[in-house]
């Protein structure tokens, strides 16, 4: 006989009652029982951070929490970020604009971790962002685009104007978006192929 324990959760603002086995993890209940598959399972060792959700307002790796431990708690997942189906959360929009994702598998965890950081540090510098993400792994982006996305999203959340990818890259001093100086006149002319000389008319006696 399988032992089931009743639990109550508030998930993305909705009250939920479930009967779960004591051994089941919160991430599995979210994905399999509540169909909230934005929360990913990546490593099963709490190393990658793809399963990060907010539990009572703080970011946790839901693969390290038993569902029965979350009884009576409030859970927020990545599905709850966008205000409606037609609009993204400013942080989500920044990840799209500034190439903060490629395959997208780590993105839910990155977003939830970043939101936890911004809740207590609305204007973090790059070092603080990198420190907050030390428990989240990404195999695609090289992280700099994620840091930029979080910094730009945080600016919009504070009331700033969204910047394009080109504007943000230029502000960072990126060499690939800074216009190169026009070539000097002498160099420009030297680069042009020389024209063939025009032969002079032959004298009458030369024919």
């Amino acid at each position: 006989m399988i032992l089931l324990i009743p639990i109550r959760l508030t998930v993305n603002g909705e009250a939920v009652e479930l009967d779960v086995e004591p051994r089941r993890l919160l991430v599995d209940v979210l994905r399999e029982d509540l169909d909230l598959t934005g929360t990913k399972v990546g490593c099963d060792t709490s190393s990658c951070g793809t399963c990060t959700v907010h539990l009572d307002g703080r970011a946790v790796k839901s693969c390290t929490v038993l569902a029965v431990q979350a009884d009576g708690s409030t859970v927020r997942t990545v599905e709850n970020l966008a205000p409606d189906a037609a609009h993204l959360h400013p942080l989500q929009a920044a990840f799209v604009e500034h190439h903060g994702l490629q395959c997208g598998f780590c993105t839910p965890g990155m977003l939830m971790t970043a939101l936890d950081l911004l809740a207590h540090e609305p204007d973090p510098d790059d070092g603080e962002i990198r420190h907050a993400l030390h428990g989240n792994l990404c195999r695609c982006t090289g992280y700099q685009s994620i840091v930029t996305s979080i910094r730009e999203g945080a600016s919009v959340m504070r009331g700033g104007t969204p910047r394009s990818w080109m504007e943000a890259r230029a502000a960072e001093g990126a060499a690939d978006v800074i216009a190169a100086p026009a070539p000097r006149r002498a160099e420009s002319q030297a680069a042009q192929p020389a024209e063939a000389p025009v032969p002079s008319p032959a004298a009458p006696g030369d024919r």
Side-chain angles (χ1 to χ4, degrees), residues 92-149:
Q92 291 175 304
F95 266 67
V96 173
E97 175 62 32
H98 300 282
H99 306 282
L101 69 157
Q102 289 185 29
C103 80
F105 195 82
C106 72
T107 306
M110 293 287 183
L111 289 168
M112 301 309 289
T113 300
L115 283 174
D116 181 62
L117 167 66
L118 299 179
H120 60 267
E121 181 50 72
D123 188 15
D125 59 31
D126 285 8
E128 290 170 318
I129 294 172
R130 290 180 179 276
H131 179 73
L133 296 178
H134 76 280
N136 294 72
L137 301 182
C138 174
R139 290 185 170 186
C140 303
T141 65
Y143 295 98
Q144 182 54 48
S145 58
I146 294 175
V147 173
T148 300
S149 299

Side-chain angles (χ1 to χ4, degrees), residues 24-111:
R24 294 193 69 200
L25 299 173
L26 178 59
V27 63
D28 296 324
V29 170
L30 292 174
R31 289 177 54 83
E32 298 169 9
D33 295 32
L34 302 181
D35 200 28
L36 296 171
T37 55
T39 303
K40 306 301 182 188
V41 177
C43 65
D44 283 329
T45 61
S46 77
S47 300
C48 70
T50 62
C51 66
T52 302
V53 300
H54 288 185
L55 183 65
D56 293 329
R58 296 307 305 267
V60 301
K61 295 178 179 180
S62 57
C63 74
T64 66
V65 180
L66 294 170
V68 293
Q69 291 177 297
D71 184 26
S73 295
T74 298
V75 180
R76 188 185 188 193
T77 71
V78 70
E79 286 88 350
N80 188 242
L81 299 192
D84 54 62
H87 300 88
L88 294 175
H89 185 281
L91 197 57
Q92 291 175 304
F95 266 67
V96 173
E97 175 62 32
H98 300 282
H99 306 282
L101 69 157
Q102 289 185 29
C103 80
F105 195 82
C106 72
T107 306
M110 293 287 183
L111 289 168

Side-chain angles (χ1 to χ4, degrees), residues 158-175:
R158 297 192 308 271
T161 302
R163 293 195 296 185
S164 69
W165 177 82
M166 291 287 286
E167 291 170 332
R169 292 281 287 160
E172 292 174 350

